[in-house]
Amino acid sequence: MHLSPTSRERVLNLAARICKEEPRLDQKAAFGASVTSGLGPWPALVIEDHSSISLFETEGNLAYSYRALLLASAGDLVVVAAPSSKAFEDYCAGSLGLGRPEVLVLKPSNNVLSLAEMAAADAPLFERLVERAGDAGGLGIVTYMGSADVWQLAGRISHAARVPVKVAAAPPALTRRVNDKLWFAKCVADLLGQQALPATAGAYGLATLVGRIIEMEDTHESLAIKLTRSASSAGNYLLDLKRIKGMSARGLYAWLEERFHALGWSGRFPVIVTSWERPVLSSPSVQLWLPERKHGPPIVEGIFDQIIVGDTAVFSGAEPSRLSEHLQQRLANEAAHIGLLFQYLGYFGRCSFDSILVGQSLDTAELLWVECNGRWGGVSIPMTLANRLLGDWRKVWPVVVEGYSMARPPRGLNSILSDLSGELYDSTYQSEGAVILSPGRLEAAQGYEFLVLDRTREAALARAARVSTKLQGTGSA
């Protein structure tokens, strides 16, 4: 994406101001001089640790740890949480042709620990990581996001093996910031203008939250409360303004306290109050890779239209954007500006920006940026997998599908794969078909995630419908 010298100077000036206000955003010295951001020439430890995302891991998503296999190759290491799924390992190595990395299964733990903390505490597993790093002369860590726990694990491995370790993610302080919806909103307002955002206000306590809602409820049709660091809509709460209008401040305080408790919210602030815009015509997500600055500007790898369902906008899939070339160009350009800002701040790795188009028609719609995903996710992992399988995801029409209900009882992955015979992609003989993305929820009959690769949109959507029906167990396709 080409950015003019004027645009670059504006971004650089804003980055300089932010660095002055927050001088330790890119700091990683605490983890050791040999631990840095980037990609190295050594084997990679691939780990999908979601522990820094509010209300996400508590919903049982340790099952997603096996999704790390989709980013791993032969010679790499993958750390997963129990239970082991040999069937998924065989599927990734055989049907998908991804190679067979070394899978290290963590011991079950009663403690509330992140995957990275569990890996550091599991003595035999940690010793194996140190051994591989020492033998190779270094280690790369490909992580879901650059959490402090992952960086601490990198530091421990580097110290024990006496080798350099590169983490394919931003330092922890910057990772926390870019995933903070309130901080992201301020960056977008400073860079693109307040009109590039829904109406947004921060609240640093429950009393302040009550005041924000009372201030905004008369000027907006709908309002939502969002946790500043959450994913998959888990931290969104849509307010019923008809119910709360006329409540006293004291009554609203008690009502919110009760609702938050029911949601499992721990009481941490700040939170965001934002206008819940309607009608939303499209929810585009721009997928970027941010290389080291010396290797060039941010790369826009794709623009996808997210499939959103329900009042709280639950992500249920995505497909390549069908917006006009003009709108896609605007999305890519604005996203590249935001990405460049983050790159100047020291960000490295996978990143995506979610937006909405609001109005009566796409010709006159407002483009509003709603959040940054400074991490891998439900679109970027399948997109990258499609690149691995086909060389370029644009050779086909990829459709990502996530489901949250199943009528079938729990069963093994091999039985599920047998039921999908004829629908599945296979690297040895079939260049089109469905790809299972994760075994955990699927085997437990709690939901599913898959990717469809077909030559046309019509064929991809038809296959997605057939596969969903079979997985749900609601009938035969």
Side-chain angles (χ1 to χ4, degrees):
M1 177 59 58
H2 174 72
L3 298 175
S4 69
T6 302
S7 296
R8 286 180 177 277
E9 184 177 4
R10 187 173 77 253
V11 174
L12 187 56
N13 288 338
L14 177 56
R17 193 187 84 196
I18 293 172
C19 287
K20 187 176 181 179
E21 295 169 351
E22 302 184 69
R24 300 184 61 81
L25 276 181
D26 66 345
Q27 292 299 303
K28 40 193 176 285
F31 309 108
S34 296
V35 180
T36 56
S37 289
L39 294 170
W42 319 291
L45 162 62
V46 189
I47 181 168
E48 187 157 348
D49 186 328
H50 306 104
S51 58
S52 295
I53 303 296
S54 301
L55 300 182
F56 193 64
E57 211 63 65
T58 56
E59 295 183 349
N61 290 312
L62 285 171
Y64 278 109
S65 64
Y66 250 110
R67 197 168 57 172
L69 277 177
L70 304 177
L71 301 178
S73 300
D76 291 338
L77 305 106
V78 176
V79 170
V80 300
S84 174
S85 180
K86 184 68 163 49
F88 190 67
E89 295 172 29
D90 291 342
Y91 171 72
C92 290
S95 296
L96 302 187
L98 298 178
R100 192 176 291 276
E102 182 178 351
V103 177
L104 305 174
V105 182
L106 290 161
K107 296 176 183 175
S109 172
N110 295 324
N111 297 321
V112 181
L113 299 173
S114 68
L115 287 185
E117 287 177 309
M118 291 166 69
D122 188 325
L125 187 150
F126 181 75
E127 287 173 9
R128 179 57 181 153
L129 297 178
V130 171
E131 180 183 37
R132 284 296 306 278
D135 290 345
L139 186 71
I141 297 184
V142 177
T143 172
Y144 176 76
M145 64 189 299
S147 66
D149 291 344
V150 168
W151 279 87
Q152 287 168 1
L153 176 62
R156 289 193 58 183
I157 294 171
S158 176
H159 178 76
R162 299 176 182 267
V163 297
V165 173
K166 282 187 174 289
V167 182
L174 184 55
T175 294
R176 284 194 299 272
R177 276 311 210 182
V178 300
N179 286 289
D180 183 322
K181 294 178 177 65
L182 191 58
W183 189 86
F184 174 71
K186 186 176 186 305
C187 286
V188 171
D190 288 343
L191 191 61
L192 303 176
Q194 197 66 47
Q195 76 283 352
L197 294 164
T200 301
Y204 292 82
L206 193 52
T208 308
L209 176 60
V210 169
R212 295 293 194 198
I213 294 170
I214 292 173
E215 288 172 5
M216 298 174 70
E217 64 182 359
D218 290 330
T219 53
H220 299 280
E221 292 185 9
S222 298
L223 294 175
I225 300 169
K226 294 184 177 183
L227 301 188
T228 59
R229 287 190 287 272
S230 61
S232 299
S233 78
N236 295 351
Y237 184 71
L238 188 59
L239 289 167
D240 184 350
L241 292 185
K242 292 180 181 178
R243 182 168 185 175
I244 65 174
K245 275 204 172 185
M247 278 189 183
S248 66
R250 184 185 296 273
L252 182 55
Y253 186 104
W255 185 83
L256 287 171
E257 198 169 36
E258 180 183 338
R259 293 302 175 277
F260 281 153
H261 179 74
L263 286 171
W265 178 64
S266 64
R268 288 184 294 178
F269 282 92
V271 298
I272 291 174
V273 187
T274 182
S275 58
W276 195 257
E277 301 290 342
R278 293 184 173 125
V280 174
L281 304 176
S282 180
S283 299
S285 180
V286 185
Q287 306 297 314
L288 298 92
W289 179 263
L290 275 58
E292 295 178 72
R293 282 180 60 183
K294 64 183 179 183
H295 292 148
I299 302 166
V300 176
E301 290 196 54
I303 301 174
F304 287 77
D305 293 335
Q306 298 182 94
I307 302 167
I308 303 298
V309 298
D311 289 340
T312 56
V314 176
F315 174 82
S316 65
E319 63 174 327
S321 181
R322 296 194 297 147
L323 295 170
S324 68
E325 184 177 346
H326 169 74
L327 277 173
Q328 291 197 50
Q329 188 67 32
R330 183 181 172 191
L331 282 159
N333 184 61
E334 293 189 9
H337 278 76
I338 304 169
L340 185 65
L341 171 64
F342 291 175
Q343 189 187 48
Y344 281 153
L345 295 175
Y347 194 97
F348 173 86
R350 178 61 66 194
C351 192
S352 66
F353 303 121
D354 292 345
S355 63
I356 53 175
L357 287 163
V358 181
Q360 298 302 318
S361 76
L362 288 173
D363 292 336
T364 58
E366 292 181 274
L367 170 58
L368 305 175
W369 296 96
V370 293
E371 68 181 34
C372 167
N373 303 301
R375 54 189 184 264
W376 290 87
V379 176
S380 58
I381 291 176
M383 179 190 73
T384 302
L385 175 62
N387 285 337
R388 293 190 68 188
L389 297 177
L390 305 173
D392 186 342
W393 68 261
R394 293 173 179 83
K395 291 180 179 179
V396 295
W397 191 271
V399 174
V400 181
V401 181
E402 290 206 14
Y404 301 92
S405 63
M406 297 176 71
R408 293 183 183 275
R411 57 187 177 140
L413 182 63
N414 285 330
S415 173
I416 295 168
L417 296 176
S418 179
D419 273 1
L420 296 176
S421 177
E423 297 289 3
L424 295 173
Y425 169 92
D426 192 302
S427 63
T428 59
Y429 69 91
Q430 189 167 327
S431 60
E432 299 177 2
V435 179
I436 300 301
L437 299 175
S438 181
R441 293 197 308 136
L442 179 58
E443 291 182 312
Q446 296 172 347
Y448 52 86
E449 307 85 40
F450 65 88
L451 166 69
V452 169
L453 305 169
D454 265 291
R455 296 293 174 185
T456 68
R457 179 174 188 263
E458 292 72 21
L461 293 177
R463 191 188 300 268
R466 294 194 301 270
V467 172
S468 292
T469 297
K470 289 184 176 183
L471 291 179
Q472 289 166 355
T474 54
S476 59

